[in-house]
Amino acid sequence: MLNVPPQAFPAPGSQQRVAASGRAKVPLKPGRSLMDWIRLTKSGKDLTGLKGRLVEVTEDELAKHNKKEDCWICIRGFVYNVTPYMEYHPGGEDELMKAAGTDGTDLFDQVHRWVNYESMLKECLVGRMAVKPIAAPKEISSTLSEEKKQLNGMLSEKGVLGASTKDVMLSYDWFQTDSLITIVIYTKQKDLNAELVIVDCQDKRLRGEIIIDDHSYLVEVDLYHAVQEDLAVNITEKVGKVEIILKKNDNIHWKMLGQPLENHNTFIKRTDRGQFYRKCKLVSKTEVTHDTKLFCLMLPKSTHLHVPTGQHVYLKQIIAGTEVVKPYTPVLPFLPLDFKEPSCHDGAHIYLMIKIYSCGPFTQALEHLQVGDYISVSNPEGNFKKSQVQTSEDLFLLAAGTGFTPMVKLLDFALTEVSCLRTAVPELEVATADRVMTFRREVTSPTDFQVQQERYSIELVTKKIEQTNKMTVKLIFFNKTEDDILWRNQLEQLALKDKRFEVKFILSQPTKDWMGKEGKISSSLLSEFVKRSSKYSKVLICICGPTPFTEQGVQYLKDLGYSQEEIHAFTA
Ligand code: FAD
Ligand code: NAP
């Protein structure tokens, strides 16, 4: 049994007045917490008013149920009577009423696509929307049946279902040796990398997803025969080719690759793909502060997954019989102090730094997980792009509490890769190129001395370019007390070791011994700590924390003259 304490809202002294969705949480009445809702759904009470009957709902019928005391909402073709849920909705009744009597799918997706409504609202299901008959587009249905017949061969490009307006050509093929099955996906995308390829193979079910901008291509097959647990993924970046290599269980000849599953060979918007979860083993749980722990999860051998910098995953747990989902941002096992080489991530583990709330059902359940237990982890999501960092000269990271988590990989990325990748300052680059050209033109047969001298002066200019080119990273870390500061020692050590990095701790509830800065996010604090290193330097300011913190911060920064492009706010 889970030991989940009863909750009172707003929690006494709780400063977290926001929902993970990015919407303000409203104070819920006593007895209206998530756990209370779960208890109500298990009570056997008739929550739809239909005595367990499922009905087909027309648009006209749906529209009639548009009042607080009688509210139906349609999500992805299923209609729910959310009247009993009104008082339990963390975002408040008014938010829910925005979709009353209508199709709320888009609104739901905008706010919290990841929430498992099927499970949360299971007892509120009224039925399906009555569908107006639409003739299936001919080529798609014929392609589907063609495809079912010929899965053991190469597919034509028109076999890509649901292709958008984007001009993307995708296809796949497969071949075998005595011991291996190799599935080759051709994307023709030049910048394909390991983070854009997610592969899972569970019980003969193979799922290979390729991310191309905001779209996703999927190969999903029920394999003809069983394969071994470990698989390999090879990516040829230059031509955008992906090879998924499976080891046969028995060295027999396969007549075909297998049966296509529902979403096989589709290329659709990422937001239209359902979340996919795999079970990961908890291998360690270590203390970071009095209330925050570092969870190390091991991916199955049959999974290829790298969570990109700035993205999060969803964890799914069954809490008192109901599936509950929450987002978490993977970090590194520790802050590397030597940023010369890109950090070597083994690809087999995901590290999560999680604050355990005494009144938080999800984190209480995580707290009760034992080493060796399994938990479901989703594919990554998030809209942060590394290129935002690559083109900046000053990087500011504004973090509050666990809002520090996305900053960890970001810091690592900025200090390892960016200084090497950044292009030189244009004027100096031109100056160097000019010098070389002049030298070549004017000195047709140079003496060794002339060559050496010129080489020396070019080196000097290049050094100057490198110095000008070094990125500076400043972390401004807001916490309540000293005890709440995550990885304080590591951050201080890093600041001592690497002159490009600076950290400032700001406490909102310090003890009287605190010698550092005190306060909350404000315009004056930001104007003191966030400054361009030169008049025209390009800055990127990343901000993450409780939603009101983030929203206020963004507003202050805009008031201080920073543009929307210079600010990235992490939200769900
Ligand atoms: P909750 O039930 O959400 O409660 C948390 C706190 O809020 C408690 O103090 C509770 O008393 C209070 N509270 C709850 N509801 C109300 C209400 N209606 N009114 C007032 N107070 C209320 N967290 C991490 O620790 N690490 C991460 O890496 C991380 N990454 C995230 C990434 C994203 C994109 C987002 C959006 C959030 C992330 N979070 C992270 C937060 C995480 O998803 C959960 O919100 C958090 O773990 C709390 O979950 P819970 O169910 O245990 O607690
Ligand atoms: P916390 O300890 O409650 O607060 C950290 C600091 O932020 C404190 O100084 C606190 O000051 C201040 N703060 C809190 N609420 C504020 C507000 N409304 N306005 C201004 N300052 C405020 O924080 P936490 O419990 O770790 O929570 C971290 C939050 O970050 C969670 O909401 C989590 O969902 C979010 N998060 C988001 C992401 C993402 O990617 N979107 C990732 C990780 C975490 P006070 O003294 O006033 O409390």
Side-chain angles (χ1 to χ4, degrees), residues 9 11 16 20 25-26 326-329 353 355 360 362-363 405:
F9 292 109
Q16 180 163 326
K25 264 186 184 171
V26 297
K326 292 260 166 152
Y328 294 94
T329 314
M353 195 186 268
K355 179 166 176 173
F362 201 86
T363 48
T405 51

Side-chain angles (χ1 to χ4, degrees), residues 87-366:
E87 293 190 335
Y88 297 82
H89 184 229
E93 299 184 7
D94 293 344
E95 276 300 308
L96 213 50
M97 282 307 293
K98 284 184 186 164
T102 67
D103 186 339
T105 311
D106 286 346
L107 192 65
F108 176 83
D109 282 351
Q110 272 167 33
V111 183
H112 36 214
R113 189 173 87 81
W114 43 275
V115 170
N116 194 346
Y117 64 93
E118 291 105 323
S119 177
M120 293 283 283
L121 297 177
K122 198 165 52 190
E123 300 304 323
C124 299
L125 182 66
V126 168
R128 270 179 184 271
M129 280 303 285
V131 192
K132 292 181 203 132
I134 305 168
K138 268 199 181 129
E139 46 315 357
I140 289 186
S141 43
S142 62
T143 314
L144 240 187
S145 53
E146 258 316 281
E147 175 171 315
K148 288 206 170 152
K149 276 187 245 151
Q150 58 157 23
L151 191 83
N152 56 343
M154 184 167 167
L155 279 169
S156 65
E157 280 156 5
K158 72 171 183 174
V160 177
L161 300 181
S164 73
T165 48
K166 284 169 64 77
D167 186 20
V168 177
M169 301 289 202
L170 289 146
S171 61
Y172 81 94
D173 196 1
W174 75 282
F175 59 89
Q176 60 185 311
T177 62
D178 284 350
S179 56
L180 302 176
I181 294 286
T182 302
I183 297 146
V184 192
I185 301 171
Y186 304 94
T187 70
K188 297 188 184 162
Q189 298 293 306
K190 278 198 194 120
D191 47 0
L192 202 68
N193 63 56
E195 292 177 347
L196 302 172
V197 179
I198 306 167
V199 182
D200 287 271
C201 191
Q202 297 168 359
D203 305 327
K204 280 176 68 201
R205 181 180 158 174
L206 174 80
R207 186 185 187 281
E209 185 174 357
I210 316 282
I211 310 295
I212 296 170
D213 300 330
D214 57 352
H215 279 64
S216 126
Y217 174 69
L218 194 68
V219 167
E220 200 180 24
V221 181
D222 186 12
L223 296 171
Y224 195 53
H225 289 292
V227 290
Q228 292 177 30
E229 206 194 339
D230 52 333
L231 54 77
V233 173
N234 291 338
I235 298 162
T236 318
E237 290 187 20
K238 277 189 192 148
V239 289
K241 185 174 88 172
V242 178
E243 285 176 321
I244 303 170
I245 302 160
L246 308 170
K247 286 184 196 155
K248 289 180 182 174
N249 246 2
D250 307 301
N251 290 358
I252 48 171
H253 185 81
W254 288 25
K255 285 198 193 114
M256 58 191 293
L257 182 59
Q259 286 299 323
L261 293 167
E262 197 188 343
N263 297 309
H264 173 65
N265 208 8
T266 52
F267 180 65
I268 58 173
K269 277 200 142 197
R270 283 180 82 180
T271 45
D272 293 338
R273 264 229 203 280
Q275 267 299 3
F276 181 82
Y277 289 85
R278 76 278 301 148
K279 287 219 150 85
C280 296
K281 192 179 187 174
L282 177 64
V283 290
S284 68
K285 191 163 59 160
T286 45
E287 217 162 80
V288 178
T289 64
H290 62 103
D291 60 4
T292 303
K293 293 199 167 140
L294 188 67
F295 290 72
C296 174
L297 303 174
M298 190 167 70
L299 290 163
K301 275 190 190 163
S302 53
T303 293
H304 174 275
L305 167 69
H306 296 266
V307 182
T309 300
Q311 296 202 10
H312 51 269
V313 292
Y314 297 99
L315 297 186
K316 183 164 77 179
Q317 298 186 95
I318 310 284
I319 298 181
T322 297
E323 271 184 9
V324 185
V325 172
K326 292 260 166 152
Y328 294 94
T329 314
V331 296
L332 301 173
F334 48 83
L335 269 187
L337 286 181
D338 186 355
F339 282 103
K340 286 203 183 85
E341 291 294 320
S343 304
C344 180
H345 312 303
D346 62 5
H349 296 94
I350 290 184
Y351 293 87
L352 298 170
M353 195 186 268
I354 299 181
K355 179 166 176 173
I356 312 293
Y357 294 92
S358 58
C359 294
F362 201 86
T363 48
Q364 280 299 317
L366 285 177

Side-chain angles (χ1 to χ4, degrees), residues 325-473:
V325 172
K326 292 260 166 152
Y328 294 94
T329 314
V331 296
L332 301 173
F334 48 83
L335 269 187
L337 286 181
D338 186 355
F339 282 103
K340 286 203 183 85
E341 291 294 320
S343 304
C344 180
H345 312 303
D346 62 5
H349 296 94
I350 290 184
Y351 293 87
L352 298 170
M353 195 186 268
I354 299 181
K355 179 166 176 173
I356 312 293
Y357 294 92
S358 58
C359 294
F362 201 86
T363 48
Q364 280 299 317
L366 285 177
E367 173 73 334
H368 286 86
L369 274 186
Q370 302 294 319
V371 167
D373 286 350
Y374 285 82
I375 183 158
S376 297
V377 179
S378 78
N379 284 0
E381 266 192 16
N383 57 6
F384 182 78
K385 291 199 172 59
K386 280 181 186 169
S387 55
Q388 294 170 262
V389 185
Q390 280 159 336
T391 51
S392 304
E393 288 148 73
D394 306 316
L395 176 65
F396 293 95
L397 308 174
L398 310 181
T402 55
F404 171 60
T405 51
M407 310 307 179
V408 173
K409 282 195 183 182
L410 199 46
L411 194 55
D412 178 51
F413 174 70
L415 293 179
T416 46
E417 294 179 47
V418 176
S419 53
C420 334
L421 294 175
R422 286 250 306 289
T423 51
V425 179
E427 302 91 295
L428 289 178
E429 221 171 26
V430 172
T432 320
D434 280 354
R435 283 191 78 125
V436 176
M437 292 307 286
T438 317
F439 180 68
R440 283 200 189 133
R441 245 194 333 265
E442 289 173 4
V443 190
T444 39
S445 50
T447 62
D448 282 356
F449 177 73
Q450 278 174 312
V451 170
Q452 240 174 13
Q453 266 224 321
E454 194 51 36
R455 206 176 272 154
Y456 176 70
S457 52
I458 289 172
E459 261 170 30
L460 272 183
V461 179
T462 315
K463 259 206 186 110
K464 207 168 166 201
I465 292 171
E466 276 170 11
Q467 274 164 10
T468 323
N469 212 15
K470 284 266 187 291
M471 167 182 259
T472 59
V473 186

